[in-house]
Amino acid sequence: MPLHVPPAPAPALRSVRAALGSPTAVRAARTPSLKSAQTALTPELPLPVHVLEPVALHGGTPRTRLTGWRFLVRGGGRSIAAAETMLTPDGWAFSHFFEGPYLASTELALHQAELLTSPYQPRLLSVPGLYMLTLWLHGDITAEASSGVLAPGDLLVPLAPAPPGIAAHRPHRVADLLPVLTLRLAPAPLLKTSA
Protein backbone atom coordinates (compact mmCIF):
# COMPACT_ATOMS: atom_id res chain seq x y z
CA MET A 1 0.00 0.00 0.00
CA PRO A 2 1.53 3.35 -0.89
CA LEU A 3 2.42 5.82 1.82
CA HIS A 4 0.52 9.09 1.77
CA VAL A 5 3.26 11.68 2.28
CA PRO A 6 1.81 15.01 3.44
CA PRO A 7 2.91 18.10 1.52
CA ALA A 8 5.48 20.24 3.28
CA PRO A 9 4.71 23.92 3.85
CA ALA A 10 5.90 25.88 0.81
CA PRO A 11 8.16 28.18 2.92
CA ALA A 12 9.92 25.12 4.41
CA LEU A 13 10.65 23.70 0.96
CA ARG A 14 11.78 27.11 -0.34
CA SER A 15 14.17 27.54 2.59
CA VAL A 16 15.78 24.14 1.92
CA ARG A 17 16.11 24.86 -1.80
CA ALA A 18 17.70 28.22 -0.98
CA ALA A 19 20.17 26.55 1.40
CA LEU A 20 21.06 23.91 -1.20
CA GLY A 21 21.68 26.71 -3.69
CA SER A 22 23.91 28.59 -1.28
CA PRO A 23 27.60 27.63 -1.54
CA THR A 24 28.11 29.11 1.93
CA ALA A 25 25.42 26.97 3.56
CA VAL A 26 26.65 23.80 1.85
CA ARG A 27 30.33 24.51 2.70
CA ALA A 28 29.42 25.26 6.33
CA ALA A 29 27.53 21.98 6.67
CA ARG A 30 29.23 19.13 8.51
CA THR A 31 28.25 16.70 5.80
CA PRO A 32 31.18 15.49 3.68
CA SER A 33 28.93 13.82 1.12
CA LEU A 34 26.99 17.03 0.60
CA LYS A 35 30.17 19.10 0.16
CA SER A 36 31.65 16.65 -2.33
CA ALA A 37 28.49 16.15 -4.41
CA GLN A 38 29.11 16.61 -8.12
CA THR A 39 25.47 16.44 -9.23
CA ALA A 40 22.39 18.58 -8.71
CA LEU A 41 20.92 18.23 -5.22
CA THR A 42 17.18 18.01 -4.67
CA PRO A 43 15.10 17.92 -1.49
CA GLU A 44 12.62 15.03 -1.55
CA LEU A 45 10.28 13.08 0.69
CA PRO A 46 9.34 15.72 3.27
CA LEU A 47 8.49 14.22 6.65
CA PRO A 48 6.99 16.19 9.54
CA VAL A 49 9.11 15.85 12.69
CA HIS A 50 7.20 15.56 15.96
CA VAL A 51 8.50 15.38 19.52
CA LEU A 52 6.71 13.25 22.11
CA GLU A 53 5.36 15.54 24.81
CA PRO A 54 6.32 14.60 28.39
CA VAL A 55 2.66 14.72 29.51
CA ALA A 56 2.04 11.74 27.24
CA LEU A 57 4.40 9.74 29.37
CA HIS A 58 2.63 10.41 32.65
CA GLY A 59 -0.82 9.01 32.06
CA GLY A 60 -2.17 11.71 29.78
CA THR A 61 -3.38 11.30 26.24
CA PRO A 62 -0.37 10.64 24.00
CA ARG A 63 0.38 13.93 22.23
CA THR A 64 3.18 15.25 20.13
CA ARG A 65 4.35 18.64 18.99
CA LEU A 66 5.40 19.43 15.41
CA THR A 67 8.92 20.87 15.55
CA GLY A 68 10.11 20.74 11.95
CA TRP A 69 10.17 19.14 8.54
CA ARG A 70 12.94 16.84 7.35
CA PHE A 71 13.78 16.39 3.68
CA LEU A 72 16.02 13.71 2.20
CA VAL A 73 18.58 15.38 -0.05
CA ARG A 74 19.21 13.35 -3.17
CA GLY A 75 22.13 13.61 -5.53
CA GLY A 76 23.32 11.16 -8.14
CA GLY A 77 20.24 8.96 -7.69
CA ARG A 78 20.66 8.36 -3.96
CA SER A 79 20.08 10.10 -0.63
CA ILE A 80 23.30 11.70 0.55
CA ALA A 81 22.12 13.94 3.39
CA ALA A 82 19.05 15.38 5.06
CA ALA A 83 17.91 18.94 5.55
CA GLU A 84 15.81 20.05 8.48
CA THR A 85 13.62 23.11 8.87
CA MET A 86 12.19 24.63 12.02
CA LEU A 87 9.29 26.88 12.89
CA THR A 88 10.37 30.39 13.88
CA PRO A 89 8.26 33.43 14.82
CA ASP A 90 8.59 34.45 11.16
CA GLY A 91 7.52 31.07 9.78
CA TRP A 92 9.40 28.03 8.49
CA ALA A 93 13.16 28.43 8.08
CA PHE A 94 16.10 26.21 7.16
CA SER A 95 17.84 24.81 10.23
CA HIS A 96 20.69 22.51 9.20
CA PHE A 97 22.02 19.72 6.99
CA PHE A 98 23.16 16.40 8.43
CA GLU A 99 24.03 12.84 7.56
CA GLY A 100 24.61 9.72 9.59
CA PRO A 101 22.91 6.44 10.50
CA TYR A 102 19.37 7.84 10.69
CA LEU A 103 19.47 8.68 6.99
CA ALA A 104 19.84 5.08 5.77
CA SER A 105 17.62 3.83 8.60
CA THR A 106 14.82 6.21 7.57
CA GLU A 107 15.02 5.02 3.98
CA LEU A 108 14.92 1.36 5.06
CA ALA A 109 11.94 1.94 7.35
CA LEU A 110 10.06 3.78 4.58
CA HIS A 111 10.76 0.94 2.16
CA GLN A 112 9.46 -1.58 4.72
CA ALA A 113 6.36 0.58 5.31
CA GLU A 114 5.59 0.58 1.58
CA LEU A 115 5.13 -3.20 1.83
CA LEU A 116 2.42 -3.00 4.51
CA THR A 117 -1.17 -3.69 3.52
CA SER A 118 -2.73 -0.66 5.23
CA PRO A 119 -2.24 2.94 4.09
CA TYR A 120 -0.31 5.25 6.42
CA GLN A 121 0.87 8.83 6.61
CA PRO A 122 4.63 8.75 7.42
CA ARG A 123 6.04 11.07 10.05
CA LEU A 124 9.08 11.11 12.30
CA LEU A 125 8.67 10.97 16.07
CA SER A 126 11.52 11.94 18.36
CA VAL A 127 11.76 10.75 21.97
CA PRO A 128 14.56 12.99 23.27
CA GLY A 129 14.81 11.38 26.72
CA LEU A 130 15.85 8.09 25.09
CA TYR A 131 17.80 9.58 22.17
CA MET A 132 15.31 7.71 20.03
CA LEU A 133 13.86 8.46 16.61
CA THR A 134 11.00 6.47 15.09
CA LEU A 135 9.13 6.40 11.84
CA TRP A 136 5.57 7.12 12.93
CA LEU A 137 3.03 5.53 10.61
CA HIS A 138 -0.18 7.44 11.28
CA GLY A 139 -3.36 5.60 10.32
CA ASP A 140 -5.36 8.73 9.44
CA ILE A 141 -3.96 9.55 6.01
CA THR A 142 -6.14 12.68 5.73
CA ALA A 143 -4.89 14.24 8.98
CA GLU A 144 -3.05 17.53 8.95
CA ALA A 145 0.67 16.90 9.35
CA SER A 146 0.67 19.20 12.37
CA SER A 147 -1.91 17.15 14.28
CA GLY A 148 -0.17 15.56 17.21
CA VAL A 149 -2.44 12.79 18.43
CA LEU A 150 -0.95 9.30 18.55
CA ALA A 151 -3.70 6.76 17.86
CA PRO A 152 -3.41 3.37 19.63
CA GLY A 153 -3.31 1.56 16.27
CA ASP A 154 -0.63 3.78 14.74
CA LEU A 155 2.71 2.08 14.19
CA LEU A 156 6.09 3.23 15.49
CA VAL A 157 9.18 1.83 13.79
CA PRO A 158 12.33 2.57 15.85
CA LEU A 159 15.19 3.72 13.64
CA ALA A 160 18.74 2.47 14.08
CA PRO A 161 20.50 3.04 16.35
CA ALA A 162 17.64 2.27 18.73
CA PRO A 163 17.96 2.27 22.53
CA PRO A 164 19.14 -1.00 24.11
CA GLY A 165 16.35 -3.56 24.31
CA ILE A 166 14.24 -1.96 21.57
CA ALA A 167 14.66 -3.60 18.17
CA ALA A 168 15.24 -1.24 15.25
CA HIS A 169 13.02 -1.63 12.19
CA ARG A 170 10.41 -3.70 13.98
CA PRO A 171 6.95 -2.07 13.83
CA HIS A 172 5.18 -1.65 17.17
CA ARG A 173 1.62 -0.49 17.77
CA VAL A 174 1.58 2.76 19.79
CA ALA A 175 -0.56 0.99 22.42
CA ASP A 176 2.25 -1.57 22.88
CA LEU A 177 5.37 0.62 22.68
CA LEU A 178 4.21 3.69 24.59
CA PRO A 179 4.04 1.84 27.96
CA VAL A 180 7.63 0.63 27.42
CA LEU A 181 8.77 4.19 26.71
CA THR A 182 6.85 5.47 29.73
CA LEU A 183 8.58 2.98 31.98
CA ARG A 184 12.01 3.87 30.64
CA LEU A 185 11.45 7.60 30.92
CA ALA A 186 9.90 7.53 34.41
CA PRO A 187 12.11 9.17 37.02
CA ALA A 188 13.73 6.80 39.46
CA PRO A 189 11.87 6.65 42.78
CA LEU A 190 13.48 8.52 45.64
CA LEU A 191 14.94 6.30 48.31
CA LYS A 192 13.76 6.96 51.82
CA THR A 193 16.45 7.09 54.44
CA SER A 194 15.84 6.50 58.10
CA ALA A 195 16.79 9.33 60.43
Side-chain angles (χ1 to χ4, degrees):
M1 194 54 79
L3 295 176
H4 296 266
V5 179
L13 179 57
R14 276 195 304 271
S15 71
V16 170
R17 285 186 176 146
L20 285 170
S22 165
T24 305
V26 171
R27 269 196 314 273
R30 296 181 181 162
T31 53
S33 59
L34 191 62
K35 290 184 206 180
S36 63
Q38 300 296 315
T39 61
L41 302 172
T42 57
E44 297 180 3
L45 198 64
L47 295 172
V49 180
H50 289 256
V51 173
L52 187 64
E53 291 287 345
V55 71
L57 301 171
H58 303 293
T61 301
R63 296 203 56 86
T64 69
R65 176 176 44 89
L66 179 67
T67 59
W69 282 81
R70 184 171 296 174
F71 297 79
L72 296 182
V73 177
R74 294 188 57 85
R78 62 184 185 91
S79 294
I80 61 170
E84 191 141 327
T85 63
M86 63 182 179
L87 190 57
T88 69
D90 295 324
W92 291 102
F94 171 74
S95 175
H96 60 281
F97 293 115
F98 66 93
E99 58 186 55
Y102 285 133
L103 185 64
S105 188
T106 300
E107 284 191 297
L108 176 58
L110 287 166
H111 175 70
Q112 290 172 322
E114 283 282 349
L115 302 176
L116 297 173
T117 56
S118 297
Y120 289 102
Q121 183 187 89
R123 303 168 172 202
L124 293 172
L125 179 65
S126 174
V127 185
L130 294 177
Y131 302 100
M132 180 180 184
L133 186 64
T134 70
L135 177 64
W136 171 13
L137 298 173
H138 190 48
D140 182 358
I141 61 173
T142 63
E144 291 291 325
S146 60
S147 69
V149 178
L150 285 158
D154 287 356
L155 298 178
L156 296 177
V157 183
L159 301 181
I166 297 177
H169 297 285
R170 182 172 165 236
H172 301 270
R173 287 183 49 240
V174 165
D176 298 332
L177 187 58
L178 199 59
V180 173
L181 301 180
T182 302
L183 184 61
R184 289 194 176 197
L185 289 168
L190 295 175
L191 297 175
K192 290 186 178 185
T193 58
S194 57

